Amino acid sequence: QVQLVESGGGLVQAGGSLRLSCVASGRTFSTSVMGWFRQTPGKEREFVSITGSGSSTRYTDSVKGRFTISRDNARNTVYLQMNSLKPEDTAVYFCAAGPLFSTNPDVYNYWGQGTQVTVSS
């Protein structure tokens, strides 16, 4: 009963920026925590960043200082501003939502369709 719709992916050169957006609809009371995970072929889905309904945020070490997560609770929307992009950031990025503040993707019941981010060198 929760749907997540993503946008903002694309192709950029190394050092460039992208801003991802994810809008939640439906029973959004169960989306206290929203965030982003990414996946490349042959690898497990990995944590990128999450934010709670308050001010709590968390990032994986490889994106600290480059990515910023934010949310607009009135619009049930979460954003991921990605700066200084590197080729190793290339992946399908998935929006996720759920009631628990965790870096474990297994915790999240609601997922977006994924948006491709490609960083060329």
Side-chain angles (χ1 to χ4, degrees):
Q1 292 186 306
V2 174
Q3 294 79 44
L4 304 177
V5 179
E6 302 169 339
S7 62
L11 172 64
V12 297
Q13 294 185 9
S17 298
L18 286 173
R19 184 176 178 86
L20 306 182
S21 300
C22 174
V23 181
S25 61
R27 302 185 68 181
T28 55
F29 68 88
S30 62
T31 60
S32 297
V33 180
M34 298 184 69
W36 300 90
F37 295 75
R38 65 188 181 187
Q39 188 169 23
T40 57
K43 295 184 178 180
E44 298 292 326
R45 190 167 298 185
E46 69 171 347
F47 163 75
V48 178
S49 183
I50 52 173
T51 181
S53 60
S55 60
S56 297
T57 60
R58 188 169 180 178
Y59 301 88
T60 192
D61 287 345
S62 64
V63 308
K64 288 180 179 177
R66 300 188 297 119
F67 292 9
T68 302
I69 191 169
S70 61
R71 67 188 298 169
D72 184 338
N73 290 324
R75 296 178 173 85
N76 297 308
T77 302
V78 65
Y79 306 93
L80 186 68
Q81 178 67 47
M82 304 185 294
N83 298 326
S84 301
L85 283 162
K86 304 175 180 179
E88 50 263 46
D89 295 317
T90 295
V92 177
Y93 283 70
F94 295 90
C95 179
L100 301 177
F101 193 81
S102 175
T103 63
N104 185 351
D106 294 339
V107 167
Y108 296 88
N109 291 325
Y110 307 110
W111 293 89
Q113 77 283 0
T115 184
Q116 178 70 48
V117 172
T118 302
V119 184
S120 62
S121 61

